[in-house]
Amino acid sequence: MEKTMYDTTLLAIIPLHDLKKTYEGLPNGTPLSIANQGGLLFFRELAVKEGSFMPIPDLRDPMSYNSFLPHPLASKTPFSFAQIEELKSMFGVADDSNLDKYIQDTLKICEESSIRCEQCTYATSIEDLIDFVVEKLGHHVSTWSIENVEGSYENVTIGVVKLIYGNFSEPPVICHSQPFLFQVYFCHILQKVKVYAVDIHAHKKVNHAIMACHYDTTWNTNHLAFKLLGIGPGLIEVYHWINKNGVVWTKTLV
């Protein structure tokens, strides 16, 4: 991924794990008043109709300056919570620093996900990422990602909304960039998801964004989406944007 220079007029980036803590215990009665302060993180279908107005959250990736390690080096670099002190020493990470917290969170989530999720992986090299995508989707794939970060923290006008993938029998793969010392992606299969391309008319220019819609929302009752939307698991569809450096992979018909 190329290095991105961000607009310095934007608000400070709020790491996702901090954002989850912010909404912990949020009353179901008035979730959107809080969500509007930083845009809608999760929303319903009716919120994203052509011609409507919508507050957009931060689309940036807080660690977008990172690059993958070469595969031979990545395979020898400690990547487990049990080896965290060795990892921190190798990269000179200070105890109780923000980076220390990012490392701990990513490693914890990685190890928990590897136990609970059979169709997900943490990729620490481009080779690992490609191997996972090929294993799940085959060799003929398309990739979808947001064009830029224009519209972050703005009340934009929604333009054309186009369905680009909706085959439930061949679910796509999504890869989320994770905060770490080097580029790490959390990749997983998206069951019962449709993927849309959306033109969002921001203040400076039009951004061609990517949006995912989950139709299977039988998630944990404490999921942030339910706190923001005020409705429980399995009762609604849930939409969200794919932020900068997030990549959706879909199977291409040949």
Side-chain angles (χ1 to χ4, degrees):
M1 301 275 180
E2 67 178 40
K3 183 177 179 180
T4 303
M5 298 300 294
Y6 293 130
D7 185 349
T8 56
T9 62
L10 289 175
L11 300 176
I13 294 173
I14 304 174
L16 184 56
H17 64 87
D18 289 341
L19 196 59
K20 289 180 179 177
K21 293 175 184 176
T22 301
Y23 290 109
E24 201 66 38
L26 181 71
N28 285 337
T30 56
L32 293 184
S33 62
I34 296 177
N36 282 336
Q37 295 177 17
L40 296 180
L41 295 172
F42 300 98
F43 44 94
R44 302 287 307 277
E45 181 178 9
L46 290 175
V48 64
K49 296 295 185 182
E50 185 172 356
S52 63
F53 295 97
M54 185 176 183
I56 301 296
D58 195 347
L59 300 174
R60 297 173 294 172
D61 174 8
M63 305 295 280
S64 64
Y65 54 83
N66 281 342
S67 299
F68 276 120
L69 293 180
H71 183 67
L73 181 57
S75 62
K76 297 177 181 178
T77 301
F79 192 76
S80 71
F81 203 81
Q83 298 172 295
I84 191 170
E85 294 304 323
E86 180 184 353
L87 180 66
K88 287 165 54 178
S89 176
M90 183 182 298
F91 287 89
V93 178
D95 291 342
D96 299 321
S97 63
N98 286 336
L99 190 52
D100 184 15
K101 295 175 183 177
Y102 291 156
I103 294 169
Q104 291 189 45
D105 285 350
T106 294
L107 291 177
K108 284 179 181 177
I109 295 171
C110 172
E111 294 184 356
E112 290 172 0
S113 299
S114 65
I115 296 173
R116 299 195 314 265
C117 178
E118 295 181 358
Q119 299 204 70
C120 61
T121 190
Y122 267 78
T124 58
S125 71
I126 188 64
E127 290 87 350
D128 290 342
L129 188 154
I130 292 173
D131 286 347
F132 180 78
V133 171
V134 170
E135 176 190 345
K136 301 302 179 183
L137 301 180
H139 291 275
H140 301 284
V141 297
S142 298
T143 62
W144 310 92
S145 59
I146 193 168
E147 184 174 270
N148 55 66
V149 299
E150 293 295 335
S152 295
Y153 292 132
E154 290 185 24
N155 194 32
V156 307
T157 301
I158 300 297
V160 175
V161 180
K162 180 182 178 182
L163 176 68
I164 55 178
Y165 195 80
N167 186 353
F168 285 173
S169 65
E170 298 280 1
V173 169
I174 184 170
C175 295
H176 306 275
S177 179
Q178 299 295 303
F180 207 67
L181 295 158
F182 46 86
Q183 184 66 70
V184 172
Y185 272 100
F186 173 53
C187 299
H188 60 107
I189 290 287
L190 287 173
Q191 299 289 352
K192 294 186 178 179
V193 164
K194 292 183 179 180
V195 182
Y196 295 83
V198 183
D199 289 345
I200 55 176
H201 294 259
H203 177 67
K204 293 183 178 179
K205 62 180 180 180
V206 177
N207 187 1
H208 303 292
I210 301 299
M211 177 179 70
C213 178
H214 297 259
Y215 288 90
D216 179 4
T217 58
T218 52
W219 308 328
N220 188 297
T221 55
N222 292 322
H223 194 285
L224 180 59
F226 304 137
K227 294 181 181 293
L228 295 180
L229 297 175
I231 301 179
L235 300 176
I236 57 170
E237 82 292 342
V238 173
Y239 284 70
H240 66 84
W241 302 106
I242 304 299
N243 73 338
K244 182 70 174 178
N245 281 355
V247 183
V248 179
W249 306 73
T250 58
K251 191 166 188 175
T252 301
L253 297 178
V254 292

